[in-house]
mmCIF file of all heavy atoms in Angstrom:
data_model
loop_
_atom_site.group_PDB
_atom_site.id
_atom_site.type_symbol
_atom_site.label_atom_id
_atom_site.label_comp_id
_atom_site.label_asym_id
_atom_site.label_seq_id
_atom_site.Cartn_x
_atom_site.Cartn_y
_atom_site.Cartn_z
ATOM 1 N N GLU A 1 88.435 127.157 59.981
ATOM 2 C CA GLU A 1 89.868 127.017 59.725
ATOM 3 C C GLU A 1 90.171 125.994 58.639
ATOM 4 O O GLU A 1 91.057 126.210 57.809
ATOM 5 C CB GLU A 1 90.595 126.633 61.014
ATOM 6 C CG GLU A 1 90.658 127.743 62.027
ATOM 7 C CD GLU A 1 91.398 127.322 63.286
ATOM 8 O OE1 GLU A 1 92.234 126.394 63.213
ATOM 9 O OE2 GLU A 1 91.137 127.934 64.326
ATOM 10 N N GLN A 2 89.493 124.862 58.637
ATOM 11 C CA GLN A 2 89.835 123.792 57.713
ATOM 12 C C GLN A 2 89.416 124.066 56.276
ATOM 13 O O GLN A 2 89.964 123.496 55.351
ATOM 14 C CB GLN A 2 89.295 122.437 58.206
ATOM 15 C CG GLN A 2 87.809 122.254 58.077
ATOM 16 C CD GLN A 2 86.994 122.924 59.177
ATOM 17 O OE1 GLN A 2 87.480 123.773 59.916
ATOM 18 N NE2 GLN A 2 85.732 122.578 59.269
ATOM 19 N N THR A 3 88.436 124.953 56.057
ATOM 20 C CA THR A 3 87.957 125.213 54.693
ATOM 21 C C THR A 3 88.083 126.670 54.275
ATOM 22 O O THR A 3 87.903 126.976 53.098
ATOM 23 C CB THR A 3 86.470 124.832 54.557
ATOM 24 O OG1 THR A 3 85.701 125.663 55.434
ATOM 25 C CG2 THR A 3 86.236 123.365 54.844
ATOM 26 N N GLU A 4 88.310 127.563 55.230
ATOM 27 C CA GLU A 4 88.342 129.010 54.981
ATOM 28 C C GLU A 4 86.969 129.562 54.590
ATOM 29 O O GLU A 4 86.852 130.700 54.167
ATOM 30 C CB GLU A 4 89.382 129.382 53.913
ATOM 31 C CG GLU A 4 90.808 129.153 54.362
ATOM 32 C CD GLU A 4 91.202 130.003 55.568
ATOM 33 O OE1 GLU A 4 90.951 131.213 55.566
ATOM 34 O OE2 GLU A 4 91.749 129.420 56.531
ATOM 35 N N LYS A 5 85.919 128.749 54.738
ATOM 36 C CA LYS A 5 84.561 129.208 54.435
ATOM 37 C C LYS A 5 84.090 130.123 55.565
ATOM 38 O O LYS A 5 84.301 129.840 56.733
ATOM 39 C CB LYS A 5 83.619 128.015 54.290
ATOM 40 C CG LYS A 5 82.196 128.416 53.922
ATOM 41 C CD LYS A 5 81.299 127.218 53.820
ATOM 42 C CE LYS A 5 81.250 126.778 52.390
ATOM 43 N NZ LYS A 5 80.286 125.698 52.178
ATOM 44 N N GLU A 6 83.433 131.210 55.188
ATOM 45 C CA GLU A 6 82.929 132.150 56.187
ATOM 46 C C GLU A 6 81.451 131.884 56.454
ATOM 47 O O GLU A 6 80.665 131.706 55.526
ATOM 48 C CB GLU A 6 83.123 133.589 55.701
ATOM 49 C CG GLU A 6 82.838 134.609 56.771
ATOM 50 C CD GLU A 6 83.247 136.005 56.351
ATOM 51 O OE1 GLU A 6 82.723 136.484 55.334
ATOM 52 O OE2 GLU A 6 84.078 136.592 57.045
ATOM 53 N N TYR A 7 81.107 131.838 57.736
ATOM 54 C CA TYR A 7 79.726 131.641 58.167
ATOM 55 C C TYR A 7 79.277 132.860 58.950
ATOM 56 O O TYR A 7 80.084 133.550 59.582
ATOM 57 C CB TYR A 7 79.610 130.408 59.075
ATOM 58 C CG TYR A 7 79.876 129.113 58.379
ATOM 59 C CD1 TYR A 7 81.133 128.525 58.421
ATOM 60 C CD2 TYR A 7 78.867 128.465 57.671
ATOM 61 C CE1 TYR A 7 81.383 127.317 57.771
ATOM 62 C CE2 TYR A 7 79.108 127.261 57.016
ATOM 63 C CZ TYR A 7 80.369 126.704 57.080
ATOM 64 O OH TYR A 7 80.610 125.520 56.434
ATOM 65 N N GLU A 8 77.988 133.114 58.918
ATOM 66 C CA GLU A 8 77.396 134.135 59.771
ATOM 67 C C GLU A 8 76.761 133.422 60.958
ATOM 68 O O GLU A 8 75.948 132.524 60.779
ATOM 69 C CB GLU A 8 76.354 134.949 59.017
ATOM 70 C CG GLU A 8 76.980 135.850 57.992
ATOM 71 C CD GLU A 8 75.988 136.771 57.308
ATOM 72 O OE1 GLU A 8 74.763 136.622 57.505
ATOM 73 O OE2 GLU A 8 76.444 137.642 56.572
ATOM 74 N N ILE A 9 77.162 133.834 62.135
ATOM 75 C CA ILE A 9 76.640 133.253 63.362
ATOM 76 C C ILE A 9 75.743 134.291 64.022
ATOM 77 O O ILE A 9 76.164 135.415 64.278
ATOM 78 C CB ILE A 9 77.786 132.860 64.328
ATOM 79 C CG1 ILE A 9 78.832 131.999 63.612
ATOM 80 C CG2 ILE A 9 77.230 132.177 65.565
ATOM 81 C CD1 ILE A 9 78.308 130.713 63.034
ATOM 82 N N ARG A 10 74.521 133.896 64.267
ATOM 83 C CA ARG A 10 73.557 134.788 64.925
ATOM 84 C C ARG A 10 73.261 134.205 66.300
ATOM 85 O O ARG A 10 73.038 133.002 66.426
ATOM 86 C CB ARG A 10 72.288 134.877 64.086
ATOM 87 C CG ARG A 10 72.527 135.486 62.719
ATOM 88 C CD ARG A 10 71.326 135.246 61.814
ATOM 89 N NE ARG A 10 71.487 135.910 60.545
ATOM 90 C CZ ARG A 10 71.870 135.298 59.434
ATOM 91 N NH1 ARG A 10 72.120 134.008 59.440
ATOM 92 N NH2 ARG A 10 71.987 135.969 58.302
ATOM 93 N N VAL A 11 73.259 135.071 67.311
ATOM 94 C CA VAL A 11 73.041 134.619 68.688
ATOM 95 C C VAL A 11 71.963 135.478 69.318
ATOM 96 O O VAL A 11 71.999 136.708 69.223
ATOM 97 C CB VAL A 11 74.342 134.729 69.520
ATOM 98 C CG1 VAL A 11 74.110 134.275 70.947
ATOM 99 C CG2 VAL A 11 75.474 133.936 68.872
ATOM 100 N N TRP A 12 71.025 134.809 69.975
ATOM 101 C CA TRP A 12 70.007 135.507 70.760
ATOM 102 C C TRP A 12 70.099 135.006 72.185
ATOM 103 O O TRP A 12 70.170 133.799 72.440
ATOM 104 C CB TRP A 12 68.602 135.240 70.223
ATOM 105 C CG TRP A 12 67.528 135.901 71.037
ATOM 106 C CD1 TRP A 12 67.191 137.226 71.032
ATOM 107 C CD2 TRP A 12 66.654 135.279 71.977
ATOM 108 N NE1 TRP A 12 66.152 137.448 71.912
ATOM 109 C CE2 TRP A 12 65.813 136.262 72.513
ATOM 110 C CE3 TRP A 12 66.515 133.963 72.427
ATOM 111 C CZ2 TRP A 12 64.844 135.997 73.457
ATOM 112 C CZ3 TRP A 12 65.538 133.690 73.373
ATOM 113 C CH2 TRP A 12 64.716 134.703 73.880
ATOM 114 N N VAL A 13 70.100 135.960 73.126
ATOM 115 C CA VAL A 13 70.149 135.637 74.551
ATOM 116 C C VAL A 13 68.883 136.185 75.197
ATOM 117 O O VAL A 13 68.549 137.365 75.012
ATOM 118 C CB VAL A 13 71.401 136.246 75.216
ATOM 119 C CG1 VAL A 13 71.432 135.945 76.695
ATOM 120 C CG2 VAL A 13 72.674 135.738 74.529
ATOM 121 N N PRO A 14 68.162 135.355 75.963
ATOM 122 C CA PRO A 14 66.938 135.824 76.621
ATOM 123 C C PRO A 14 67.211 137.013 77.544
ATOM 124 O O PRO A 14 68.315 137.166 78.071
ATOM 125 C CB PRO A 14 66.479 134.608 77.433
ATOM 126 C CG PRO A 14 67.132 133.441 76.790
ATOM 127 C CD PRO A 14 68.435 133.943 76.241
ATOM 128 N N GLU A 15 66.203 137.838 77.756
ATOM 129 C CA GLU A 15 66.329 138.998 78.632
ATOM 130 C C GLU A 15 66.283 138.621 80.107
ATOM 131 O O GLU A 15 66.819 139.330 80.941
ATOM 132 C CB GLU A 15 65.217 140.006 78.329
ATOM 133 C CG GLU A 15 65.336 140.641 76.967
ATOM 134 C CD GLU A 15 64.192 141.597 76.680
ATOM 135 O OE1 GLU A 15 63.388 141.897 77.597
ATOM 136 O OE2 GLU A 15 64.094 142.047 75.529
ATOM 137 N N SER A 16 65.647 137.511 80.433
ATOM 138 C CA SER A 16 65.512 137.115 81.830
ATOM 139 C C SER A 16 66.861 136.675 82.406
ATOM 140 O O SER A 16 67.770 136.305 81.667
ATOM 141 C CB SER A 16 64.502 135.971 81.958
ATOM 142 O OG SER A 16 64.950 134.850 81.217
ATOM 143 N N ALA A 17 66.951 136.723 83.725
ATOM 144 C CA ALA A 17 68.183 136.275 84.379
ATOM 145 C C ALA A 17 68.376 134.784 84.132
ATOM 146 O O ALA A 17 67.420 134.007 84.188
ATOM 147 C CB ALA A 17 68.108 136.545 85.881
ATOM 148 N N PRO A 18 69.605 134.367 83.847
ATOM 149 C CA PRO A 18 69.832 132.941 83.579
ATOM 150 C C PRO A 18 69.700 132.110 84.845
ATOM 151 O O PRO A 18 69.949 132.593 85.945
ATOM 152 C CB PRO A 18 71.270 132.903 83.057
ATOM 153 C CG PRO A 18 71.908 134.123 83.618
ATOM 154 C CD PRO A 18 70.829 135.154 83.738
ATOM 155 N N PRO A 19 69.325 130.845 84.699
ATOM 156 C CA PRO A 19 69.290 129.958 85.864
ATOM 157 C C PRO A 19 70.727 129.741 86.375
ATOM 158 O O PRO A 19 71.688 130.020 85.663
ATOM 159 C CB PRO A 19 68.691 128.665 85.319
ATOM 160 C CG PRO A 19 68.865 128.733 83.845
ATOM 161 C CD PRO A 19 68.932 130.179 83.471
ATOM 162 N N ALA A 20 70.858 129.225 87.579
ATOM 163 C CA ALA A 20 72.178 128.996 88.172
ATOM 164 C C ALA A 20 73.069 128.133 87.284
ATOM 165 O O ALA A 20 74.276 128.334 87.216
ATOM 166 C CB ALA A 20 72.030 128.358 89.547
ATOM 167 N N SER A 21 72.476 127.195 86.577
ATOM 168 C CA SER A 21 73.244 126.307 85.707
ATOM 169 C C SER A 21 73.518 126.916 84.331
ATOM 170 O O SER A 21 74.187 126.308 83.505
ATOM 171 C CB SER A 21 72.505 124.983 85.539
ATOM 172 O OG SER A 21 71.239 125.220 84.955
ATOM 173 N N GLY A 22 72.989 128.103 84.073
ATOM 174 C CA GLY A 22 73.128 128.738 82.769
ATOM 175 C C GLY A 22 71.981 128.350 81.855
ATOM 176 O O GLY A 22 71.243 127.418 82.119
ATOM 177 N N TYR A 23 71.820 129.117 80.802
ATOM 178 C CA TYR A 23 70.769 128.813 79.834
ATOM 179 C C TYR A 23 71.128 127.567 79.027
ATOM 180 O O TYR A 23 72.291 127.358 78.696
ATOM 181 C CB TYR A 23 70.633 129.942 78.810
ATOM 182 C CG TYR A 23 70.088 131.235 79.314
ATOM 183 C CD1 TYR A 23 70.875 132.379 79.281
ATOM 184 C CD2 TYR A 23 68.788 131.337 79.768
ATOM 185 C CE1 TYR A 23 70.383 133.597 79.704
ATOM 186 C CE2 TYR A 23 68.282 132.550 80.198
ATOM 187 C CZ TYR A 23 69.083 133.679 80.163
ATOM 188 O OH TYR A 23 68.591 134.873 80.584
ATOM 189 N N PRO A 24 70.135 126.775 78.657
ATOM 190 C CA PRO A 24 70.406 125.763 77.630
ATOM 191 C C PRO A 24 70.657 126.489 76.306
ATOM 192 O O PRO A 24 70.261 127.650 76.143
ATOM 193 C CB PRO A 24 69.121 124.941 77.576
ATOM 194 C CG PRO A 24 68.090 125.713 78.303
ATOM 195 C CD PRO A 24 68.774 126.749 79.142
ATOM 196 N N VAL A 25 71.314 125.833 75.373
ATOM 197 C CA VAL A 25 71.612 126.430 74.076
ATOM 198 C C VAL A 25 71.032 125.548 72.979
ATOM 199 O O VAL A 25 71.202 124.335 72.997
ATOM 200 C CB VAL A 25 73.133 126.588 73.868
ATOM 201 C CG1 VAL A 25 73.421 127.217 72.504
ATOM 202 C CG2 VAL A 25 73.761 127.421 74.980
ATOM 203 N N ILE A 26 70.344 126.177 72.042
ATOM 204 C CA ILE A 26 69.809 125.487 70.874
ATOM 205 C C ILE A 26 70.602 125.968 69.662
ATOM 206 O O ILE A 26 70.659 127.169 69.389
ATOM 207 C CB ILE A 26 68.311 125.782 70.674
ATOM 208 C CG1 ILE A 26 67.513 125.277 71.877
ATOM 209 C CG2 ILE A 26 67.803 125.171 69.367
ATOM 210 C CD1 ILE A 26 66.052 125.685 71.872
ATOM 211 N N TYR A 27 71.232 125.038 68.966
ATOM 212 C CA TYR A 27 71.972 125.352 67.744
ATOM 213 C C TYR A 27 71.106 124.983 66.552
ATOM 214 O O TYR A 27 70.490 123.922 66.548
ATOM 215 C CB TYR A 27 73.279 124.546 67.686
ATOM 216 C CG TYR A 27 74.257 124.962 68.753
ATOM 217 C CD1 TYR A 27 74.265 124.348 69.995
ATOM 218 C CD2 TYR A 27 75.170 125.993 68.517
ATOM 219 C CE1 TYR A 27 75.153 124.731 70.984
ATOM 220 C CE2 TYR A 27 76.064 126.383 69.499
ATOM 221 C CZ TYR A 27 76.053 125.749 70.726
ATOM 222 O OH TYR A 27 76.928 126.137 71.704
ATOM 223 N N LEU A 28 71.066 125.857 65.553
ATOM 224 C CA LEU A 28 70.282 125.537 64.374
ATOM 225 C C LEU A 28 71.015 125.924 63.110
ATOM 226 O O LEU A 28 71.807 126.859 63.098
ATOM 227 C CB LEU A 28 68.896 126.188 64.426
ATOM 228 C CG LEU A 28 68.809 127.707 64.489
ATOM 229 C CD1 LEU A 28 68.438 128.244 63.122
ATOM 230 C CD2 LEU A 28 67.744 128.090 65.491
ATOM 231 N N LEU A 29 70.761 125.149 62.071
ATOM 232 C CA LEU A 29 71.294 125.443 60.746
ATOM 233 C C LEU A 29 70.238 126.220 59.969
ATOM 234 O O LEU A 29 69.134 126.429 60.441
ATOM 235 C CB LEU A 29 71.640 124.142 60.026
ATOM 236 C CG LEU A 29 72.678 123.266 60.724
ATOM 237 C CD1 LEU A 29 72.840 121.942 59.992
ATOM 238 C CD2 LEU A 29 74.009 123.985 60.847
ATOM 239 N N ASP A 30 70.598 126.654 58.780
ATOM 240 C CA ASP A 30 69.689 127.445 57.936
ATOM 241 C C ASP A 30 69.237 128.720 58.637
ATOM 242 O O ASP A 30 68.081 129.148 58.527
ATOM 243 C CB ASP A 30 68.466 126.630 57.492
ATOM 244 C CG ASP A 30 68.749 125.764 56.279
ATOM 245 O OD1 ASP A 30 69.679 126.088 55.520
ATOM 246 O OD2 ASP A 30 68.030 124.768 56.084
ATOM 247 N N ALA A 31 70.161 129.340 59.357
ATOM 248 C CA ALA A 31 69.809 130.566 60.086
ATOM 249 C C ALA A 31 69.319 131.668 59.160
ATOM 250 O O ALA A 31 68.509 132.498 59.571
ATOM 251 C CB ALA A 31 70.997 131.057 60.909
ATOM 252 N N ASN A 32 69.768 131.683 57.910
ATOM 253 C CA ASN A 32 69.277 132.691 56.966
ATOM 254 C C ASN A 32 67.755 132.637 56.856
ATOM 255 O O ASN A 32 67.100 133.649 56.678
ATOM 256 C CB ASN A 32 69.862 132.467 55.569
ATOM 257 C CG ASN A 32 71.343 132.674 55.507
ATOM 258 O OD1 ASN A 32 72.087 132.120 56.313
ATOM 259 N ND2 ASN A 32 71.796 133.466 54.560
ATOM 260 N N ALA A 33 67.203 131.438 56.962
ATOM 261 C CA ALA A 33 65.765 131.257 56.764
ATOM 262 C C ALA A 33 64.968 131.214 58.064
ATOM 263 O O ALA A 33 63.838 131.684 58.102
ATOM 264 C CB ALA A 33 65.506 129.970 55.979
ATOM 265 N N VAL A 34 65.532 130.642 59.129
ATOM 266 C CA VAL A 34 64.696 130.335 60.289
ATOM 267 C C VAL A 34 65.104 130.984 61.608
ATOM 268 O O VAL A 34 64.400 130.829 62.610
ATOM 269 C CB VAL A 34 64.586 128.803 60.499
ATOM 270 C CG1 VAL A 34 63.963 128.136 59.285
ATOM 271 C CG2 VAL A 34 65.931 128.187 60.823
ATOM 272 N N PHE A 35 66.197 131.723 61.648
ATOM 273 C CA PHE A 35 66.643 132.289 62.920
ATOM 274 C C PHE A 35 65.596 133.215 63.547
ATOM 275 O O PHE A 35 65.250 133.079 64.715
ATOM 276 C CB PHE A 35 67.970 133.042 62.747
ATOM 277 C CG PHE A 35 68.506 133.620 64.021
ATOM 278 C CD1 PHE A 35 69.101 132.806 64.968
ATOM 279 C CD2 PHE A 35 68.411 134.978 64.282
ATOM 280 C CE1 PHE A 35 69.602 133.333 66.152
ATOM 281 C CE2 PHE A 35 68.903 135.517 65.456
ATOM 282 C CZ PHE A 35 69.499 134.694 66.391
ATOM 283 N N GLY A 36 65.074 134.138 62.775
ATOM 284 C CA GLY A 36 64.079 135.074 63.304
ATOM 285 C C GLY A 36 62.840 134.379 63.829
ATOM 286 O O GLY A 36 62.314 134.717 64.895
ATOM 287 N N THR A 37 62.378 133.385 63.106
ATOM 288 C CA THR A 37 61.200 132.620 63.529
ATOM 289 C C THR A 37 61.481 131.895 64.838
ATOM 290 O O THR A 37 60.651 131.900 65.757
ATOM 291 C CB THR A 37 60.799 131.610 62.441
ATOM 292 O OG1 THR A 37 60.538 132.331 61.239
ATOM 293 C CG2 THR A 37 59.594 130.806 62.845
ATOM 294 N N MET A 38 62.652 131.272 64.937
ATOM 295 C CA MET A 38 63.005 130.537 66.156
ATOM 296 C C MET A 38 63.132 131.475 67.352
ATOM 297 O O MET A 38 62.660 131.157 68.443
ATOM 298 C CB MET A 38 64.313 129.769 65.931
ATOM 299 C CG MET A 38 64.707 128.908 67.084
ATOM 300 S SD MET A 38 63.525 127.551 67.295
ATOM 301 C CE MET A 38 64.356 126.623 68.542
ATOM 302 N N VAL A 39 63.747 132.630 67.149
ATOM 303 C CA VAL A 39 63.896 133.597 68.247
ATOM 304 C C VAL A 39 62.536 134.056 68.736
ATOM 305 O O VAL A 39 62.275 134.073 69.945
ATOM 306 C CB VAL A 39 64.765 134.796 67.808
ATOM 307 C CG1 VAL A 39 64.635 135.963 68.784
ATOM 308 C CG2 VAL A 39 66.222 134.378 67.660
ATOM 309 N N GLU A 40 61.659 134.419 67.835
ATOM 310 C CA GLU A 40 60.342 134.894 68.254
ATOM 311 C C GLU A 40 59.534 133.797 68.931
ATOM 312 O O GLU A 40 58.840 134.047 69.927
ATOM 313 C CB GLU A 40 59.579 135.486 67.070
ATOM 314 C CG GLU A 40 60.049 136.884 66.723
ATOM 315 C CD GLU A 40 59.955 137.833 67.921
ATOM 316 O OE1 GLU A 40 58.849 138.118 68.412
ATOM 317 O OE2 GLU A 40 61.026 138.291 68.377
ATOM 318 N N ALA A 41 59.611 132.581 68.434
ATOM 319 C CA ALA A 41 58.905 131.470 69.083
ATOM 320 C C ALA A 41 59.442 131.257 70.498
ATOM 321 O O ALA A 41 58.659 131.094 71.451
ATOM 322 C CB ALA A 41 59.056 130.194 68.264
#
């Protein structure tokens, strides 16, 4: 909102059932370069 810059947000959710407290979330920058690697790891 403050800059009108558009970002691409990529989200991966594990296939397993989430724990009662919910999944932890890892946020990362440079998703263009590292999102696929992080998801597979």
Side-chain angles (χ1 to χ4, degrees):
E1 289 180 25
Q2 73 280 15
T3 63
E4 292 298 312
K5 182 181 266 186
E6 190 171 59
Y7 293 96
E8 289 185 352
I9 309 301
R10 297 166 175 100
V11 179
W12 178 76
V13 178
E15 293 178 9
S16 61
S21 60
Y23 291 117
V25 180
I26 298 172
Y27 293 90
L28 61 103
L29 300 174
D30 277 336
N32 294 50
V34 300
F35 181 75
T37 302
M38 184 67 173
V39 165
E40 282 304 295

